[in-house]
């Protein structure tokens, strides 16, 4: 049984009495939470005080028997200790996770067959890869290492293609023009914005526009939700997301040794474009985080960190075996 399965089992045990359901509208794992209960778990007392008048409350007290009072107190204590017990179990599960992941113990090796064994330095060792996975991993690594070069015709043509996909009804501007700022480039020359993102970040934007055109257009034109007065620049945000994904998936090392990276290797078996598809999900997720936090330009890095954290949580879910299994995949519009 993998560690994630163990964690889920512990959590389900703790929530047998009180279920804390986190809906996907809670994109940060903290806001917009609400408690829900099944018929068999319904609380028998209101969570807030009664709105009755003092007189009716006095009459009610007179009619209650000693047994009723004790029963009410027992129920109140039951709810109180259930909440405390649930919190303790969650903390205990996190403590166990730190022990297992932070050591190369035999216990950790037995618990982590899904993600591989623990190697030196507490890093996970990925399971053996098929020839197809190896080939696709090498291809992604090769793409990541290609810097954007504004002097190469291939890269110039890719920028022109992105413009045509973004604004199909508009005339193509020169490669240096004020019009590029409308797409979210910081200057008149988009080639100066790539830096660490490399050519793959431009490929990611083109893939997004071609594969999920409705989502791409909605994000480009900021059509969802109540927007900030100082919005994030679309194109530059996309470059940052490409860079964040490469780091999160540990693609610049020999082989990924994080849970997210090892799970991603599994995706490569059936999806050659797994990195690009994950990019589209991450971009849509980032915008959802942005709206939920009511963020503005200066908070972009914090939003990106929250996006990474949520994506890592989804990649660690035990029942995720493909990109389409990720809960955030449902955010995308075709």
């Amino acid at each position: 049984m993998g560690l994630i399965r163990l964690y889920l089992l512990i959590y389900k045990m703790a929530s047998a009495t009180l279920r804390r359901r986190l809906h996907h509208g809670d994109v940060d794992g903290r806001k917009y939470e609400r408690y829900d209960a099944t018929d068999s778990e319904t609380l028998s007392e209101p969570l807030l005080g009664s709105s009755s008048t003092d007189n009716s409350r006095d009459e009610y007290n007179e009619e209650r028997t000693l047994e009723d009072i004790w029963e009410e107190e027992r129920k109140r204590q039951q709810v109180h200790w259930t909440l405390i017990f649930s919190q303790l179990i969650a903390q205990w599960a996190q403590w166990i996770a730190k022990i297992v992941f932070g050591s190369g113990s035999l216990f950790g090796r037995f618990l982590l067959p899904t993600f591989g064994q623990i190697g030196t330095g507490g890093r996970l060792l990925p399971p053996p890869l098929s020839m197809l996975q190896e080939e696709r991993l090498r291809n992604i690594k090769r793409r990541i290492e290609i810097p954007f070069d504004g002097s190469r015709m291939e890269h110039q043509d890719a920028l022109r293609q992105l413009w045509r996909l973004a604004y199909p009804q508009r005339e193509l501007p020169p490669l240096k023009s004020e019009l590029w700022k409308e797409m979210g480039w910081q200057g008149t020359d988009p080639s100066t914005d790539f830096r660490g993102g490399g050519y793959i970040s431009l490929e990611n934007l083109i893939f997004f526009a071609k594969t999920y055109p409705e989502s791409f257009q909605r994000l480009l034109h900021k059509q969802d939700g109540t927007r900030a007065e100082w919005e994030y620049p679309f194109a530059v945000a996309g470059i940052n997301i490409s860079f964040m994904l490469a780091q999160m998936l540990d693609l610049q090392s020999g082989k990924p040794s994080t849970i997210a990276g090892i799970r991603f290797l599994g995706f490569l078996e059936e999806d050659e474009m797994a990195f690009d598809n994950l990019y589209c999900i991450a971009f849509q997720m980032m915008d959802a985080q942005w709206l939920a936090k009511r963020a503005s330009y200066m908070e972009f890095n914090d939003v990106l960190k929250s996006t990474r954290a949520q994506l890592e949580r989804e990649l660690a879910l035990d029942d995720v075996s493909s990109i389409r299994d990720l809960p955030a995949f449902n955010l995308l519009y075709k």
Side-chain angles (χ1 to χ4, degrees):
M1 179 187 300
L3 177 62
I4 306 303
R5 188 181 300 277
L6 174 64
Y7 180 87
L8 290 176
L9 179 61
I10 294 173
Y11 188 79
K12 288 176 182 177
M13 291 171 57
S15 60
T17 307
L18 184 65
R19 291 183 182 174
R20 182 175 178 267
R21 293 179 180 169
L22 195 60
H23 296 259
H24 202 281
D26 168 22
V27 293
D28 193 25
R30 290 188 296 271
K31 298 179 182 295
Y32 309 114
E33 294 179 0
R34 69 173 184 263
Y35 289 93
D36 197 4
T38 60
D39 292 339
S40 62
E41 298 163 346
T42 303
L43 296 178
S44 58
E45 293 182 323
L47 297 179
L48 299 177
S50 172
S51 59
S52 303
T53 62
D54 291 339
N55 291 337
S56 62
R57 191 181 299 115
D58 291 340
E59 292 175 2
Y60 173 68
N61 288 336
E62 291 176 0
E63 294 175 358
R64 287 191 304 169
T65 64
L66 182 60
E67 182 179 353
D68 292 333
I69 296 174
W70 277 108
E71 179 65 16
E72 180 179 307
E73 181 63 23
R74 185 189 66 80
K75 290 178 180 179
R76 184 182 294 109
Q77 290 295 325
Q78 182 180 10
V79 172
H80 173 74
W81 286 109
T82 296
L83 289 172
I84 293 179
F85 181 70
S86 298
Q87 294 171 358
L88 288 175
I89 288 294
Q91 293 174 0
W92 180 65
Q94 292 176 355
W95 176 71
I96 291 293
K98 289 180 181 179
I99 291 178
V100 173
F101 281 112
S103 68
S105 65
L106 182 63
F107 178 66
R109 293 191 181 97
F110 277 115
L111 283 177
L112 294 170
T114 303
F115 297 106
Q117 294 183 341
I118 298 178
T120 57
R123 296 177 68 84
L124 295 176
L125 300 178
L129 303 181
S130 67
M131 293 181 61
L132 182 60
Q133 286 173 302
E134 291 276 9
E135 179 184 352
R136 290 175 173 176
L137 179 60
R138 284 194 299 270
N139 182 51
I140 294 174
K141 288 178 174 291
R142 178 189 59 79
R143 291 173 61 196
I144 289 175
E145 292 172 357
I146 299 175
F148 181 86
D149 186 349
S151 65
R152 292 182 59 178
M153 186 60 64
E154 177 188 0
H155 294 193
Q156 293 177 12
D157 289 342
L159 270 176
R160 295 188 182 99
Q161 182 184 12
L162 178 62
W163 179 274
R164 293 190 183 99
L165 291 167
Y167 307 109
Q169 306 300 324
R170 297 176 60 179
E171 183 179 351
L172 178 68
L175 290 179
K176 292 184 180 180
S177 169
E178 290 287 335
L179 293 176
W180 288 99
K181 292 182 180 180
E182 296 180 21
M183 193 188 294
W185 302 99
Q186 293 181 326
T188 59
D189 183 2
S191 65
T192 62
D193 283 335
F194 285 94
R195 299 183 180 89
Y199 182 59
I200 192 173
S201 59
L202 178 54
E203 292 180 317
N204 291 154
L205 283 167
I206 292 172
F207 178 88
F208 193 6
K210 294 171 67 175
T211 311
Y212 306 100
E214 185 175 349
S215 278
F216 179 88
Q217 290 293 331
R218 294 181 73 86
L219 295 181
L220 172 63
H221 297 290
K222 305 296 197 304
Q223 293 177 345
D224 293 331
T226 302
R227 313 305 308 196
E229 291 185 9
W230 195 5
E231 277 288 323
Y232 64 84
F234 174 80
V236 174
I239 293 175
N240 279 271
I241 290 171
S242 296
F243 184 75
M244 178 272 289
L245 279 181
Q247 286 189 320
M248 183 190 77
L249 300 176
D250 202 19
L251 294 176
Q252 294 169 323
S253 62
K255 281 186 180 179
S257 57
T258 62
I259 288 182
I262 293 173
R263 176 56 57 80
F264 174 76
L265 293 178
F267 295 165
L268 291 178
E269 185 68 40
E270 63 175 49
D271 186 2
E272 183 178 7
M273 306 304 292
F275 184 85
D276 301 79
N277 277 308
L278 194 60
Y279 168 89
C280 299
I281 293 173
F283 209 139
Q284 188 73 64
M285 184 186 290
M286 184 278 294
D287 190 71
Q289 291 271 3
W290 180 271
L291 292 174
K293 292 175 176 291
R294 299 180 180 179
S296 188
Y297 181 85
M298 298 303 293
E299 299 168 288
F300 177 78
N301 287 336
D302 291 335
V303 172
L304 196 61
K305 290 177 183 177
S306 297
T307 302
R308 172 172 175 165
Q310 184 190 352
L311 198 54
E312 287 175 326
R313 286 195 296 269
E314 293 198 7
L315 286 168
L317 294 174
D318 202 35
D319 56 350
V320 170
S321 59
S322 71
I323 292 287
R324 292 179 177 273
D325 292 333
L326 293 170
F329 180 80
N330 297 318
L331 293 173
L332 290 171
Y333 297 91
K334 280 288 188 180

